[in-house]
Amino acid sequence: MTDQTALFSRLTSTLADDSRTPLYKRFATAIKDAVRDGVLVHEEILPSERDFSQSLSISRITVRKAMDALEKEGVVLRSRGYGTQICSQFEYSLKEPKGLSQQAVLRGKKPDTVWINKSKIHCDAAIAEKLALNKGSEVYLLKRIRYVDQQAVSVEESWVPARYIADADEIGISLYDYFHQQQILPVKSQSKVSARMPDEALQQQIALPDNVPVLVIKQLALDAQGNPLEYSISYCRSDMYVFIAE
């Protein structure tokens, strides 16, 4: 169970700040921060709108607007007669030009990465075609296990033209953060989604039960001029992800 004293103390402090940001947005941000910092945990039932309103001396309309925003972002799940709980699944937009780490942070979750491989290779014909390169061109092969709130959720392989990476060791949790540091701006993506049962190696890497399929996401990231920046194949736990295409 959540320490409600710690939660309400955090909310009180946030709402007391002298800020022009609307109260409901500050409320929503404080909830996301509490999830990211472990004050709130997945599937935790939140206090009622009435409890929030009375304890924080704010209107129920403010609480409701904050919860509406959090539900839209996939941070909470509301159901009549059951209450509002922290969502255990991670909503990932296939349209947003943001990587998993950036989307996780925006939804109040904590991303992490365990790198398996960062190496420069000569690409084969299939990868060359995806990245609009000649066969044998130099690319970086990046392979990693992705985590959200300390839970392994996917294994990802990606290929990036070598000219976009000056030093692979400088890539931390987020490849897209590295891109932005280098003034490289992904603006759109093309995605294909399929499903299959995992093999033994994948089951071990993300602790996946035998009966849970993986979603295979093949995605091409492009800049404003339509130049391919990254081609990736992600193997994602179907019980942990909700993909949004609109």
Side-chain angles (χ1 to χ4, degrees), residues 90-107 111 144 146 148 156 173-177 179-180 186 189 219 221 230 232 234 241:
F90 173 63
E91 288 193 351
Y92 181 80
S93 172
L94 296 174
K95 288 293 186 180
E96 291 185 55
K98 299 182 178 71
L100 181 144
S101 297
Q102 292 173 327
Q103 293 199 43
V105 169
L106 288 173
R107 286 162 173 78
R144 53 189 162 166
R146 311 297 299 267
V148 173
E156 178 185 291
I173 291 176
S174 170
L175 172 63
Y176 278 37
D177 282 350
F179 276 165
H180 283 277
S189 61
Q219 194 165 52
E230 177 205 20
S232 63
S234 300
Y241 274 83

Side-chain angles (χ1 to χ4, degrees), residues 8 33 59 62 114 122 151 159-160 178 184-185 190 195 197 212 223 230 234:
F8 281 111
D33 288 345
S59 72
T62 295
V114 172
H122 296 281
Q151 174 69 56
W159 295 262
V160 179
Y178 175 83
I184 300 169
L185 303 177
Q190 300 171 355
M197 297 307 295
V212 175
D223 66 14
E230 177 205 20
S234 300

